[in-house]
Amino acid sequence: MSVQTLESMVDWVERNAANCPTLKDLSDHVGYSACYCSSQFHRHTGMTLKQYVARTKLLEAKRQITTTDDRMIDIAI
C-alpha cells in the first residue's frame, strides 16, 4: 500500500470521525480488504482504527472547548 493511500485513509478517518467509521467503511473507501487496511493503518499510525477515531474525537472536543463558548455538555454530546 502506498504512502499516498495511507495518508488518504488517515484524512478520510479524520473527516468522518464524528460518524464513527468502521473498518468496513474504511476498506470500502480505499478498495482493500478490511484485514489489510487494519494492519496497514496500525503500522502507519501506531494505533488501531478505533483508537485513532477516539483520539480524533477527543482532539476535536478539546479544540471546541478552547475556541468556542459552547457548553461542555453540548460538546460532549
Side-chain angles (χ1 to χ4, degrees):
M1 184 176 291
S2 71
V3 172
Q4 188 175 26
T5 301
L6 291 165
E7 288 300 320
S8 170
M9 289 169 62
V10 170
D11 291 342
W12 182 86
V13 169
E14 289 175 357
R15 284 191 316 273
N16 293 284
N19 301 323
C20 299
T22 65
L23 194 51
K24 180 174 179 348
D25 297 332
L26 180 60
S27 67
D28 288 346
H29 170 70
V30 295
Y32 288 96
S33 73
C35 183
Y36 187 63
C37 285
S38 176
S39 66
Q40 294 302 301
F41 188 87
H42 188 271
R43 184 182 63 78
H44 183 68
T45 64
M47 292 181 245
T48 65
L49 175 63
K50 187 175 181 178
Q51 291 169 328
Y52 196 87
V53 168
R55 179 183 167 271
T56 301
K57 289 169 116 177
L58 284 172
L59 289 173
E60 176 58 20
K62 176 184 172 186
R63 186 197 64 75
Q64 288 181 19
I65 288 168
T66 58
T67 62
T68 69
D69 292 330
D70 294 345
R71 297 180 316 161
M72 289 183 106
I73 189 69
D74 294 331
I75 293 169
I77 292 172

